[in-house]
Amino acid sequence: MVILHRDNSVYQIPDDLNKQTTLLNKFYYLKFEHLLKSKNISYKLVDYENYDGDYYIGRFGHALLDKELHSKCFDELYEYYGENMWPNKKAYYYYDDKVRQYELLEKYGIQVPSVICNNLDELLKNVTVGTVIKSTYGAGSESTFYVWKKEHLDNIEEYISNCYNSENFFPCQIQEYINTEYEKKIVITNDEIYGIKQKLDIGWDNPNDFPFNLGDEHWANRKGNKLESLNESEFGLLDTIMDIKTELNTPNLKFDIIDEKVIEFTYMYGELLPETPKYMYFDVNTKSFEEKVMSINEFAYKQSNSVLKHLGIVG
């Protein structure tokens, strides 16, 4: 039997989203529940802890309330379920922790050079004009700011206070600002590697608006700049991406990439929906690029299907 963790209510999306956005961003457990029901696979919905099943699937996200709860029970859950659990121990270890990710990326030589600061004194001693500061925790740039003026150096504590995790900001990274037109996001799931690129903004009202000027819009309803499918020449780091997925023994990963350096990666992500139904991907088995037409509905379930396949719940 599959034990299915019910998403924490902190991830509830607004009711007024369009059909496509709702489908892509609805609770994880609803997607898994749909797939399990369609295949007549028995499951049990739980809030966090349960030790009655053969498999465990959980959305253990970065929101502070959720993280406080799943961090207390993860070790015991993994001790019981082992690799029949998603996320597994390695994926969970690196999730929502940029400093830990940096150590792994450094091993593969694809890291963005960083200075790690463990407290405010260290940060104030190392921060300079032209640097980006990132808390080790947080997603969607909600704990990141960019210092591009000398006067910004006098307000570092204010910028930290504007972050969602202001009371738990450290450790953090300091990175040199990379002046580039696009950020790439590349996903490996099942036997496919696919991705998109998104044009980066230039010019921000304040340091906390970096890099996409998204403001206070709910994360599920953020528009941002157009997502464009990658063409064959724009894919990079394929061998390394496959090696990291193998090392973590996880069904899927998303990598954020600038200038062929990985900023961060995650085992759990919002689906990257290209601007057209046809998208290019790299077939891990044939080692060749292919094109595929896929509906929004199919895209919405790619991540969930990959988890069930990886765990051996479905063929």
Side-chain angles (χ1 to χ4, degrees), residues 174-185:
I174 302 176
Q175 299 174 343
E176 292 292 329
Y177 170 69
I178 300 173
N179 185 14
T180 188
E181 188 174 7
Y182 288 96
E183 178 182 16
K184 294 191 293 188
K185 300 178 187 294

Side-chain angles (χ1 to χ4, degrees), residues 80-91:
Y80 181 85
Y81 289 99
E83 291 299 297
N84 287 335
M85 177 177 177
W86 183 79
N88 68 356
K89 189 170 186 176
K90 288 184 177 179

Side-chain angles (χ1 to χ4, degrees), residues 118-277:
N118 293 299
N119 53 54
L120 180 61
D121 287 342
E122 291 182 12
L123 174 56
L124 295 177
K125 189 178 298 184
N126 287 280
V127 64
T128 59
V129 174
T131 55
V132 176
I133 294 82
K134 303 176 180 179
S135 170
T136 194
Y137 312 115
S141 303
E142 57 193 1
S143 54
T144 297
F145 57 91
Y146 172 38
V147 174
W148 73 85
K149 292 180 181 179
K150 186 176 179 180
E151 49 262 42
H152 291 159
L153 295 173
D154 298 325
N155 300 299
I156 298 300
E157 291 183 67
E158 176 187 339
Y159 306 140
I160 292 174
S161 71
N162 292 335
C163 297
Y164 90 104
N165 61 328
S166 57
E167 296 182 4
N168 188 33
F169 188 82
F170 296 97
C172 72
Q173 295 173 297
I174 302 176
Q175 299 174 343
E176 292 292 329
Y177 170 69
I178 300 173
N179 185 14
T180 188
E181 188 174 7
Y182 288 96
E183 178 182 16
K184 294 191 293 188
K185 300 178 187 294
I186 294 182
V187 167
I188 180 167
T189 182
N190 282 337
D191 298 323
E192 291 183 9
I193 300 177
Y194 63 96
I196 56 91
K197 63 181 181 180
Q198 187 173 28
K199 198 166 188 176
L200 294 169
D201 285 341
I202 299 176
W204 308 272
D205 291 335
N206 65 72
N208 291 106
D209 287 340
F210 176 85
F212 288 117
N213 282 313
L214 295 174
D216 297 325
E217 189 92 47
H218 188 279
W219 58 266
N221 207 24
R222 291 173 179 171
K223 299 297 188 294
N225 297 325
K226 181 180 178 182
L227 303 182
E228 304 175 40
S229 297
L230 298 180
N231 60 47
E232 184 173 338
S233 65
E234 293 174 315
F235 281 86
L237 307 177
L238 293 176
D239 289 337
T240 305
I241 285 171
M242 289 186 282
D243 288 343
I244 292 175
K245 178 179 180 292
T246 298
E247 179 172 345
L248 270 56
N249 189 33
T250 193
N252 39 56
L253 288 169
K254 178 178 76 73
F255 296 82
D256 294 351
I257 300 171
I258 288 182
D259 281 358
E260 301 310 302
K261 298 293 184 181
V262 175
I263 303 170
E264 61 183 301
F265 62 87
T266 177
Y267 81 92
M268 186 171 58
Y269 47 86
E271 288 295 351
L272 307 179
L273 189 66
E275 77 281 6
T276 61

